[in-house]
Amino acid sequence: MIIRRLTAEERLTHSFPLQAYAFEASPMPPNRVEEFRAYLPYNAGNRTLVVEEDGGSMAAATAIPMRQNLRGRVQPMAGVAGVATHPLARRRGHVRALLHQLLDEMRAEGHLLTALYPFRASFYERFGYVGLPARRTAVFSPADLAPLLRAELPGEVVWERTGAGYDTWRAYTERCLHERHGFAVFPDFRAVGLRDRDDRWLLTVVRDGATVGAVTYRIDDHGGELIADDLLAADPYARASLLQFFARHVDQVERIRVHLPADELPELWLTDLAVHVEARVSRPGSPAPMARLLHLDALAGLPAGAGRVRVELVGDRWLAGTHLLDGTTGRLEVLPGDSTGAATVPAATLTAAGLSGLAYGVLDPAEVAIRSLGEVPPDAATELRRLFPRALPYLFADF
């Protein structure tokens, strides 16, 4: 078995066919490989590794160099995608070997975090990943938005194609990256695909010269659906402006379907809004994202409550040893486990998934223990809650 990095052109014959078999209708059409060629520029900076045996490609995995907000600080993040194995080579450890090398290399390049959309969550939990909230989908009639048509809202709404408005959209997602916990964005070489495809409308809300809300969407047919991607709004006024625009489609579409972060509550937007809200997680087909810390440097300097706890990290390739986590200054310090006073503070044993769940804010210390992701005595749980208050990450990027 040989693991090596593919060149851009090699992706056409080595990794894309494996991914097509795993994630598309199969057999793929004869011209599908050439269709892949159009995607090469949007994969230019990716790192794709392949397992080869007897000259054939048995498995492949890709890392996308991205950025993610962890509790207010933007850090380099490796987005893992395109993990696929030849059907005759499955369950032989190829993916494990690929992930070890792929994450070794991305960590060495300075990526402190990593995220992915799993084919099976329990498989990736063994690699230290923990689940993040799935995006919600809300479906409702534009007629129920009628009360918003009478509302006087600040700012103006700008409507254009994504090709024309891409720079505005990219700049606003950059703002969201710095303001929203868990938010992740693609590198420029990948993000420009939205501009080049130009297959969406872009709606933005501008107030005092600044963009405060945005959504991309398309309409499938007259009498059909207005299908919106993630609705991004800095405040209720911006959200209402976007929905007010949708309300004007009452005689054009029957339904509006929009993606939302987990902290949006569309059932409370309007008094008589009949809405179906769903977060669908299925296997295979519709996974919730997962993420993990790839280096303890990801924690250093994060805002933290005044807790102190000693943690022993076990069972992981990248996070190990005993460390003192100290938040008494308001910023988290990661100190050696034998630091002065460390022996007198509460102690816990954590897996990488357990620590990642606390850092991303998706698990309470009690849940870490319940799910066998660590051993957390009550006194250590109290300190960990101070250090890592519950938070609701919103990954945004879909890869």
Side-chain angles (χ1 to χ4, degrees):
M1 182 180 73
I2 298 172
I3 297 179
R4 68 179 183 89
R5 184 176 180 178
L6 296 181
T7 65
E9 192 71 17
E10 285 179 316
R11 293 190 181 108
L12 294 175
T13 52
H14 289 66
S15 63
F16 283 167
L18 289 176
Q19 295 165 20
Y21 183 83
F23 303 115
E24 300 182 10
S26 189
M28 65 179 181
N31 64 339
R32 187 65 175 127
V33 170
E34 285 308 307
E35 290 177 358
F36 284 142
R37 189 177 297 278
Y39 302 144
L40 287 181
Y42 310 115
N43 290 268
N46 291 352
R47 180 180 298 266
T48 299
L49 301 184
V50 66
V51 172
E52 291 181 332
E53 288 183 349
D54 300 324
S57 299
M58 295 294 104
T62 292
I64 309 165
M66 300 173 65
R67 289 170 294 145
Q68 185 180 31
N69 182 317
L70 180 66
R71 293 188 179 268
R73 194 175 78 186
V74 177
Q75 308 191 41
M77 184 268 276
V80 175
V83 180
T85 307
H86 190 289
L88 294 178
R90 292 174 180 173
R91 299 185 180 274
R92 289 168 51 189
H94 291 327
V95 169
R96 174 176 295 274
L98 274 178
L99 282 177
H100 281 167
Q101 182 160 328
L102 186 64
L103 294 180
D104 280 348
E105 294 180 8
M106 297 303 287
R107 187 177 187 268
E109 289 187 357
H111 292 83
L112 307 181
L113 307 169
T114 174
L116 51 76
Y117 288 83
F119 65 84
R120 183 191 295 267
S122 58
F123 176 86
Y124 285 101
E125 187 178 78
R126 296 195 291 271
F127 288 90
Y129 287 88
V130 67
L132 303 183
R135 60 159 53 96
R136 272 53 177 159
T137 300
V139 182
F140 47 89
S141 168
D144 286 352
L145 300 178
L148 289 174
L149 294 173
R150 299 188 296 271
E152 293 290 336
L153 301 172
E156 64 172 326
V157 173
V158 179
W159 178 64
E160 57 194 331
R161 291 281 289 265
T162 52
Y166 171 76
D167 289 343
T168 299
W169 169 256
R170 180 66 168 170
Y172 186 60
T173 58
E174 285 283 338
R175 171 182 169 177
C176 293
L177 172 67
H178 287 83
E179 294 180 350
R180 301 198 67 154
H181 169 53
F183 203 91
V185 296
F186 289 123
D188 288 338
F189 66 80
R190 172 72 175 263
V192 294
L194 179 69
R195 177 197 65 195
D196 296 345
R197 290 190 302 274
D198 197 21
D199 60 355
R200 297 284 197 277
W201 294 105
L202 170 63
L203 189 66
T204 53
V205 181
V206 179
R207 191 187 311 143
D208 298 326
T211 302
V212 293
V215 64
T216 58
Y217 74 92
R218 63 184 178 88
I219 295 173
D220 66 357
D221 203 353
H222 186 266
E225 288 191 341
L226 185 156
I227 304 167
D229 302 307
D230 295 61
L231 188 148
L232 304 176
D235 55 45
Y237 286 115
R239 182 185 65 215
S241 292
L242 297 174
L243 295 175
Q244 186 185 70
F245 177 87
F246 289 163
R248 299 190 180 105
H249 293 73
V250 64
D251 296 318
Q252 184 177 353
V253 299
E254 181 180 358
R255 291 176 303 278
I256 296 170
R257 182 180 303 271
V258 59
H259 291 314
L260 301 169
D263 60 355
E264 278 285 5
L265 301 174
E267 64 271 26
L268 304 181
W269 286 348
L270 292 166
T271 301
D272 287 326
L273 178 64
V275 58
H276 177 86
V277 185
E278 180 181 60
R280 184 174 183 270
V281 177
S282 63
R283 177 178 55 83
S286 183
M290 303 182 80
R292 63 157 289 166
L293 308 179
L294 202 50
H295 199 293
L296 285 178
D297 285 354
L299 297 179
L302 295 183
R308 295 183 86 226
V309 64
R310 181 163 47 90
V311 296
E312 180 185 3
L313 301 176
V314 297
D316 189 64
R317 183 182 181 90
W318 300 284
L319 305 183
T322 301
H323 308 270
L324 174 64
L325 304 183
D326 189 339
T328 53
T329 66
R331 292 286 173 179
L332 186 59
E333 293 184 84
V334 182
L335 304 170
D338 57 359
S339 299
T340 302
T344 63
V345 303
T349 300
L350 299 173
T351 63
L355 180 60
S356 297
L358 295 169
Y360 277 94
V362 294
L363 294 181
D364 181 82
E367 293 171 307
V368 171
I370 290 168
R371 292 174 55 172
S372 300
L373 300 178
E375 297 177 7
V376 188
D379 57 350
T382 298
E383 299 301 309
L384 287 167
R385 290 189 186 101
R386 290 172 179 159
L387 290 172
F388 301 111
R390 288 298 290 264
L392 200 61
Y394 170 39
L395 185 61
F396 174 66
D398 190 352
F399 49 93

